[in-house]
């Protein structure tokens, strides 16, 4: 059975939905970060799949995927650094405890 | 004559010095410094007068006006600019002499009178400020400079009336004086602006010094508006010179220290209005003789009104205050009855007015200073606390008597000569005015001798300790001023000051002189008859018979009450209160509503900033979903349909 473009898209849609859902419902910032990574990876899959199936002789999609991975890594580093600082100052990384800046 | 600048500079420097550093000096030293600087100013003024009047006359036989300094201060247009400078002409030189003499006397006198008062240095600083402002007023080269210094004398008068600032009555009197004169000055300012607009000049040289002048071509509109402008300026003059109905501040101004009353409220500042009219005299004659005659009628009424009130007052300073109002009104009448600038044909009043200004300044200052020394001795202003003082205070008594005779118009004292000139000028104008003024002159003699007998004769009051003569530094000015009063009548005043500048030989009109002398003598005899004895049956009987009139006059014909009614009930009650309500409820209410509504709306939306990240994210998410569906509908909705 030949693997078609739609299969990839279903997987990426599922991952994006999982990411959004996880981002909304999880109260732990680390878990929210993981959800964000899921959304980014869903996008990367899309880039790679579209490039492979629709524009086989081009490379831009693959490059974007690589960029996405690099940006995700950098973003993770920053986010984790923020969380460490939050933990040092507030002794927690739960979102309910991080609302000093409201109003 | 550049040294005239020092006449201006010395008092202002002394004001700054005493005002800023005075509290570090000993009071006596501060007083001495102020007095010495004023002494120098006096010498300079005399020297200026000597140099000016000994200089040769110009081709028209007049003393020319000299502009010693004039620099441009504010530039409006080519012709319209405000200058500051020093203008010397016969009347300004005469005023320099009057102001510096009286001010110097008051400075000396105050050393004794104000001795040991709190704020002695401040007092001398204010005196210097006043002297500076008054000198600046008289030497002004243009109407606007005059206005500036006009307001400055108003300020220094305010400061000096309210010198005893812990006394409630002094504070309210100073405010009253300031507000009333300031209100009148509004007329002055509007007059100046109207004048400047139509004549295109503020300068006296073009507007007209006392010497002959020509204003050039004026448009018909200006011919109509110049009388209006002059009338408005006279309102300012009427306020300063306490003409009816703007006189109400002057009697209350007696709350200030007595030497201040002598300097400001008898001799110098209150005659500024007369000086203003005299300064603009050529304009009045050429463009607005009717306004000039209106001034005369206002003067006649004021003179009568004030004299009537002076007849029944019991506070000696109040009597003198009303007498001052009456005498200034004499000067106003004298200027007002002029019909030309030629002293031989209807222009005599100008000279008579200036002459009376000069003599009145001297004897009225002397009377006030005498009153001060009496108050100093008995510690009261009320006539009932005095009586029989002639034995205790011989020098004060003698000088006071001389000045009373002078103001009553008994020869050979100065008042006789100047008043005679005024009456002669009135007779040339109209017999009715002449007889009115003669009767008022008789009333003057009557109330002055009522005052004199009330203080020095009559029933002796009980004193805790016997009153004693004032110290030498208080009696010396009295003697000097009384001396001037004796001699001043023989000054050939007409040779120095006259309406067109030509030398005018004063000659007594024998019938006028005889009539005025008879009236004065009869009035004095009447006063002697009624008030000399300790028991005063005639006065009491008259008081009972005309009880209502007496009460009305004692309450100054209820003019203050009328003002009270007009300001409080009508202006405050009917105009200010509704405006205040509108401001508070409508104007303020609108802005309060704006503030209230924005605050309420911000309270209601502050919940959006919850600080919960997921809430923001879901808003973001749903927002994108909605925007996306809208965009899809807009761009592809048509295709699908």
């Amino acid at each position: 059975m030949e693997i078609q473009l739609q299969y990839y898209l279903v997987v990426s849609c599922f991952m994006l939905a999982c990411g959004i859902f996880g981002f909304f419902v999880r109260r732990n910032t680390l878990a929210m970060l993981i959800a964000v990574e899921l959304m980014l990876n869903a996008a990367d899959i899309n880039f790679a799949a579209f490039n492979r199936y629709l524009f086989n002789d081009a490379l831009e999609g693959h490059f974007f995927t690589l960029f996405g991975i690099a940006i995700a890594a950098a973003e993770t580093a920053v986010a984790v650094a923020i969380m460490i600082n939050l933990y040092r100052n507030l002794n927690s990384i739960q979102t309910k405890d991080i609302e000093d800046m409201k109003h | 004559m550049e040294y005239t600048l020092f006449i201006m500079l010395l008092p202002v420097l002394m004001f700054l010095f005493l005002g800023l550093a005075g509290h570090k000096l000993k009071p006596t030293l501060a007083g001495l410094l102020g007095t010495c600087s004023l002494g120098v100013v006096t010498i300079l003024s005399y020297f200026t007068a000597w140099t000016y009047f000994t200089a040769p006359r110009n081709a028209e036989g007049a003393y020319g006006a000299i502009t010693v300094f004039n620099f441009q201060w504010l530039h409006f247009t080519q012709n319209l600019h405000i200058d500051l400078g020093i203008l010397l002409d016969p009347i300004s030189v005469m005023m320099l002499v009057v102001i510096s003499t009286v001010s110097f006397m008051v400075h000396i006198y105050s050393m004794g009178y104000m001795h040991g008062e709190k704020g002695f240095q401040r007092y001398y600083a204010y005196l210097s400020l006043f002297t500076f402002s008054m000198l600046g007023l008289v030497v002004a080269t243009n109407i606007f400079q005059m206005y500036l210094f006009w307001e400055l004398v108003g300020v220094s008068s305010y400061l000096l009336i309210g010198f005893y600032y812990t006394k409630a009555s002094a504070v309210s009197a100073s405010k009253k004086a300031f507000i009333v004169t300031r209100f009148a000055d509004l007329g002055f300012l509007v007059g100046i602006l109207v004048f400047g607009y139509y004549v295109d000049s503020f300068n006296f040289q073009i507007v007209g010094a006392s010497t002959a002048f020509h204003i050039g071509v004026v448009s018909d509109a200006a011919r109509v508006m110049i009388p209006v402008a002059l009338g408005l300026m006279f309102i300012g003059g009427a306020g300063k010179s306490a003409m009816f109905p703007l006189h109400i501040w002057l009697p209350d101004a007696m709350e200030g220290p007595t030497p201040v009353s002598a300097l400001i409220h008898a001799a110098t500042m209150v005659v500024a209005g007369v000086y203003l009219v005299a300064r603009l005299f050529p304009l009045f004659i050429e463009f607005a003789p009717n306004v000039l005659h209106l001034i005369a009628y206002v003067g006649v009424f004021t003179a009568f009104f004030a004299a009537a009130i002076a007849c029944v007052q019991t506070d000696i300073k109040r009597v003198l205050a009303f007498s001052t109002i009456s005498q200034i009104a004499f000067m106003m009448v004298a200027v007002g009855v002029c019909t030309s600038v030629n002293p031989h044909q209807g222009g005599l009043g100008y000279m008579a007015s200036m002459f009376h200004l000069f003599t009145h300044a001297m004897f009225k200052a002397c009377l006030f200073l005498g009153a001060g020394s009496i108050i100093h001795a008995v510690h009261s202003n009320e006539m009932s606390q005095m009586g029989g003082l002639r034995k205790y205070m011989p020098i004060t008594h003698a000088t006071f008597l001389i000045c009373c005779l002078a103001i009553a118009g008994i020869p050979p004292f100065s008042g006789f000569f100047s008043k005679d000139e005024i009456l002669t000028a009135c007779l040339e104008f109209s017999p009715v005015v002449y007889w009115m003024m003669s009767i008022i002159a008789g009333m003057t003699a009557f109330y002055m001798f009522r005052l004199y007998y009330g203080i020095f004769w009559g029933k002796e009051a009980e004193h805790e300790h016997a009153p004693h003569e004032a110290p030498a530094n208080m009696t010396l000015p009295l003697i000097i001023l009384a001396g001037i009063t004796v001699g001043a009548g023989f000054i050939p005043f007409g040779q120095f000051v006259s309406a067109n500048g030509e030398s005018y030989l004063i000659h007594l009109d024998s019938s006028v002189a005889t009539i005025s002398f008879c009236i004065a003598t009869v009035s004095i005899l009447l006063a002697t008859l009624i008030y000399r004895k300790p028991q005063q049956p005639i006065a009491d009987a008259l008081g009972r018979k005309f009880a209502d009139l007496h009460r009305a006059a004692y309450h100054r014909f209820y003019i203050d009450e009328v003002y009270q009614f007009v300001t409080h009930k009508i202006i405050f009650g009917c105009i200010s209160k509704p405006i205040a309500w509108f401001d508070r409820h409508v104007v303020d209410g609108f802005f309060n509503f704006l503030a209230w509504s924005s605050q309420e709306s911000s309270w209601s939306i502050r919940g959006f900033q919850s600080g919960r990240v997921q809430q923001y994210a879901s808003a973001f998410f749903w927002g994108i979903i909605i925007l996306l569906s809208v965009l899809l509908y807009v761009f592809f909705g048509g295709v699908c349909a």
Side-chain angles (χ1 to χ4, degrees), chain B residues 106 109-115 117-120 122-124 126-127 156-165 167 170-171 173-174 250 252-266 317 365 368-369 371-373 375-376 381:
Chain B
V106 165
Y109 183 90
S110 301
M111 298 279 283
Y113 187 84
M114 299 299 285
H115 186 76
E117 291 277 357
K118 190 168 164 284
F120 190 81
R122 181 166 58 92
Y123 174 81
Y124 269 90
Y126 289 166
L127 279 189
S156 35
S157 157
Y158 164 80
L159 291 171
L160 282 165
I161 296 169
F163 179 72
Y164 299 117
Y165 58 86
K167 207 163 99 184
V171 172
S174 64
L250 187 58
D252 286 19
M254 297 301 137
E255 290 292 341
T258 311
V260 168
S261 308
L263 174 62
I264 302 182
H265 307 116
K317 282 181 75 181
F368 262 108
L369 295 181
S373 108
I375 293 165
H376 197 66
N381 284 12

Side-chain angles (χ1 to χ4, degrees), chain B residues 360-626:
Chain B
H360 172 261
M362 299 303 167
F363 61 66
K364 188 50 74 61
C366 181
L367 285 170
F368 262 108
L369 295 181
S373 108
I374 294 156
I375 293 165
H376 197 66
V378 301
H379 306 292
S380 167
N381 284 12
E382 285 298 317
M383 242 193 267
S384 58
Q385 299 296 308
M386 298 161 193
L389 287 179
R390 68 184 183 285
K391 285 172 288 191
Y392 305 108
M393 312 177 75
I395 301 174
T396 309
H397 172 233
T399 52
F400 205 89
L401 179 60
I402 288 171
C403 295
C404 277
L405 288 169
I407 194 173
I410 299 293
F413 302 106
S414 60
F416 168 75
F417 296 95
S418 53
K419 201 171 276 183
D420 189 72
E421 293 304 317
I422 292 181
L423 292 175
T424 312
C426 289
L427 185 60
E428 282 176 19
F429 180 65
S430 119
V432 181
V433 173
Y434 165 71
W435 282 108
M436 283 292 293
M437 295 316 281
S438 296
I439 292 165
I440 298 164
M443 288 167 76
T444 310
F446 177 77
Y447 67 70
M448 284 316 294
F449 274 83
R450 171 180 172 270
L451 178 70
Y452 166 74
Y453 286 119
I455 296 170
F456 294 104
W457 299 70
K459 195 172 68 181
E460 234 178 278
E462 300 284 318
H463 300 294
E464 280 180 24
H465 46 88
H468 54 86
E469 185 57 273
N473 51 11
M474 284 167 70
T475 50
L476 180 70
L478 289 178
I479 295 168
I480 295 173
L481 287 170
I484 297 175
T485 303
V486 172
F490 298 101
I491 296 173
F493 204 79
Q495 292 188 8
F496 303 128
V497 177
S498 69
N500 58 0
E502 280 173 32
S503 174
Y504 172 78
L505 195 62
I506 294 182
H507 49 83
L508 291 176
D509 185 326
S510 58
S511 60
V512 171
T514 319
I515 293 171
S516 77
F517 176 68
C518 288
I519 289 176
T521 319
V522 169
S523 304
I524 292 171
L525 287 177
L526 205 62
T528 314
L529 188 69
I530 299 176
Y531 293 108
R532 190 184 153 186
K533 295 272 162 46
Q535 303 304 322
Q536 301 172 346
I538 305 172
D540 297 340
L542 282 172
R544 268 195 303 280
K545 192 161 183 198
F546 301 105
D548 290 337
L549 187 64
H550 182 274
R551 200 178 314 115
Y554 187 76
H555 289 105
R556 312 170 203 170
F557 294 109
Y558 304 107
I559 299 294
D560 286 79
E561 281 73 12
V562 170
Y563 269 97
Q564 196 78 7
F565 177 78
V566 170
T567 50
H568 278 80
K569 290 272 154 53
I570 297 176
I571 297 180
F572 292 176
C574 300
I575 301 171
S576 307
K577 276 219 183 103
I579 293 174
W581 183 90
F582 183 83
D583 183 50
R584 217 158 279 154
H585 291 93
V586 178
V587 178
D588 286 6
F590 175 68
F591 285 100
N592 284 343
F593 170 74
L594 280 186
W596 175 84
S597 55
S598 55
Q599 192 186 23
E600 283 303 304
S601 51
S602 56
W603 273 108
S604 61
I605 59 170
R606 72 195 277 254
F608 289 138
Q609 294 283 7
S610 63
R612 285 183 211 107
V613 184
Q614 274 113 350
Q615 205 176 354
Y616 299 161
S618 66
F620 181 66
F621 176 71
W622 289 114
I624 283 180
I625 295 291
I626 290 165

Side-chain angles (χ1 to χ4, degrees), chain A residues 23-24 26-27 32 102-103, chain B residues 609-610 614 617-618 621:
Chain A
F23 189 78
F24 287 168
R26 299 305 298 260
R27 292 290 179 262
M32 287 164 71
K102 70 176 175 181
H103 305 320
Chain B
Q609 294 283 7
S610 63
Q614 274 113 350
S618 66
F621 176 71

